[in-house]
Amino acid sequence: MSTGKMMRTPITTHPLLLLLLLQQLLQPVQFQEVDTDFDSPDDDMEEFEEYLEEFHRTGPTRPPTKEKVERRVIIEPGMPLYDRDYCNEEIMRKNVYHKQRCVTEHYFLLMQYDELQKICYNRFVPCKNGVRKCNRSKGLVEGVYCNLTEAFEIPWCKYESFYRRGYVLITCTWQNEIHKLIPHTINDLVEPPKHRSFLNEDGVFVIPP
């Protein structure tokens, strides 16, 4: 039997199989028709749907929620915080972006959300980047500062990672649903000076005379 006849045999003897195969190949790929029959927790599916909604959103960014802050900012012990590729891996894994573009900077904090949320009720201190009021943590926190170095559109974002141990400066927003202040933005992670110093009433480091 010739090679041509051998190759045509499955097609002629199994037309139903070929039809099903063609139907699968020609079916358009649509995120709205993702098969959800696989074993996946409900919270993973909700996170995926939220990711798609935020990815295609062109209007104002939705206000932060506890879940979003936990997912994008709070980190657990695992990968060494000194790792040079920490930001590149974590930003991609946690889908940290802004309207389909790379964020210019980001902070990951090694702490519990409840501890971060309590900082919203600490006294105000000056912030960076022209922000007038931030709340500062009372103790030192470990984290990673990510600074964008290459590209501006995902998924080609490249970041430089910097380990920091310092005071967290955050802005907060009032959430009516739970009647509490919740973290909105991580403004900075300020490393204390190595020389002897103290904080004045405004929370600014001052070198004693």
Side-chain angles (χ1 to χ4, degrees):
M1 183 179 294
S2 66
T3 304
K5 291 182 178 180
M6 291 179 64
M7 295 181 62
R8 287 196 297 269
T9 300
I11 298 177
T12 56
T13 56
H14 302 283
L16 181 58
L17 179 61
L18 175 62
L19 180 60
L20 293 175
L21 178 61
L22 289 175
Q23 183 179 4
Q24 291 295 323
L25 292 175
L26 294 177
Q27 183 176 1
V29 178
Q30 296 182 353
F31 287 117
Q32 293 83 354
E33 298 179 2
V34 172
D35 184 6
T36 58
D37 291 336
F38 54 85
D39 295 330
S40 178
D42 292 339
D43 55 349
D44 287 346
M45 291 306 302
E46 292 178 1
E47 179 179 334
F48 177 66
E49 292 173 356
E50 179 183 349
Y51 167 76
L52 291 179
E53 181 180 350
E54 287 288 342
F55 183 87
H56 295 289
R57 180 182 293 271
T58 57
T61 304
R62 294 197 309 179
T65 62
K66 174 184 177 181
E67 292 73 19
K68 181 179 292 186
V69 174
E70 282 185 316
R71 187 173 70 250
R72 298 190 177 187
V73 176
I74 303 300
I75 54 178
E76 299 291 337
M79 183 189 303
L81 302 183
Y82 293 94
D83 194 303
R84 294 175 56 186
D85 289 325
Y86 192 98
C87 292
N88 290 326
E89 294 186 17
E90 285 298 293
I91 281 182
M92 180 176 293
R93 188 175 72 86
K94 293 178 177 291
N95 296 323
V96 179
Y97 56 88
H98 179 67
K99 296 181 181 179
Q100 306 183 37
R101 296 179 67 84
C102 313
V103 294
T104 56
E105 65 177 9
H106 189 73
Y107 294 89
F108 291 112
L109 304 177
L110 186 61
M111 64 188 307
Q112 298 296 319
Y113 175 83
D114 291 341
E115 297 175 352
L116 181 64
Q117 195 266 337
K118 289 179 182 178
I119 299 176
C120 291
Y121 294 90
N122 292 352
R123 65 182 305 164
F124 289 120
V125 298
C127 313
K128 71 172 186 179
N129 298 334
V131 181
R132 295 183 58 187
K133 291 183 178 181
C134 279
N135 300 98
R136 182 185 66 86
S137 64
K138 296 180 179 179
L140 300 179
V141 176
E142 287 187 283
V144 180
Y145 169 65
C146 304
N147 183 48
L148 182 67
T149 58
E150 294 181 29
F152 291 95
E153 295 184 356
I154 57 176
W156 298 282
C157 314
K158 294 294 181 182
Y159 291 87
E160 192 172 4
S161 305
F162 299 92
Y163 167 81
R164 287 188 182 178
R165 183 174 182 267
Y167 297 96
V168 181
L169 304 184
I170 67 174
T171 61
C172 301
T173 185
W174 178 261
Q175 194 169 68
N176 290 325
E177 291 78 5
I178 59 176
H179 300 286
K180 288 183 179 180
L181 286 169
I182 67 169
H184 182 276
T185 304
I186 309 300
N187 181 267
D188 204 354
L189 186 54
V190 182
E191 296 179 311
K194 295 181 180 180
H195 50 69
R196 185 181 178 185
S197 61
F198 63 91
L199 293 174
N200 64 13
E201 294 181 354
D202 295 324
V204 178
F205 289 105
V206 178
I207 301 176

